[in-house]
Amino acid sequence: MKNSTMIIFITYVWTKVLLGLVVHPYKSVREVSRHRVLLPVVLSPLYALIGLFLLGRIGSFLFEVSGFKRELISLVLSTGLISILLWQFLLLYLLLSFLLAFRRS
């Protein structure tokens, strides 16, 4: 398999599982817990948080914003932070519950 074909395949699988985690997290986490090679996909919201913080730091160095625009940016970033954190906690909770259930049986 060529290197570019492998990258396209990995991107396809990652995107497919990530969309499944967004649309129906219970079913997708159950499948991920059965196929353990896909466990890093469950941490995708954490990767998004790291990217959000990096973009915020880079943006703060590049742009000087004050007034209403600053409040609006703060509202969007804080809403994104809270929603991504809650989504990550939900995925981790589901993953741990499935892993414990598979271990018992």
Side-chain angles (χ1 to χ4, degrees):
M1 199 181 266
K2 290 185 179 179
N3 197 13
S4 62
T5 308
M6 187 67 165
I7 291 172
I8 291 171
F9 175 71
I10 290 172
T11 304
Y12 168 74
V13 171
W14 191 286
T15 305
K16 181 182 173 192
V17 174
L18 189 59
L19 285 175
L21 289 173
V22 171
V23 176
H24 39 79
Y26 184 83
K27 180 180 171 186
S28 295
V29 171
R30 186 179 64 210
E31 290 300 317
V32 166
S33 62
R34 289 182 183 158
H35 307 288
R36 303 233 173 143
V37 75
L38 298 172
L39 282 177
V41 180
V42 175
L43 298 176
S44 290
L46 184 63
Y47 306 145
L49 277 178
I50 293 169
L52 185 70
F53 282 124
L54 288 176
L55 284 175
R57 296 309 283 161
I58 292 170
S60 70
F61 287 126
L62 295 178
F63 302 109
E64 185 68 32
V65 182
S66 61
F68 181 71
K69 289 181 183 179
R70 185 179 182 104
E71 297 293 328
L72 186 63
I73 291 172
S74 172
L75 178 67
V76 169
L77 289 176
S78 61
T79 303
L81 172 72
I82 291 170
S83 62
I84 291 172
L85 275 177
L86 289 175
W87 183 36
Q88 181 67 65
F89 289 146
L90 171 70
L91 294 179
L92 288 176
Y93 170 75
L94 289 173
L95 181 67
L96 288 175
S97 66
F98 279 121
L99 290 177
L100 289 175
F102 286 142
R103 182 178 286 172
R104 289 181 194 156
S105 60

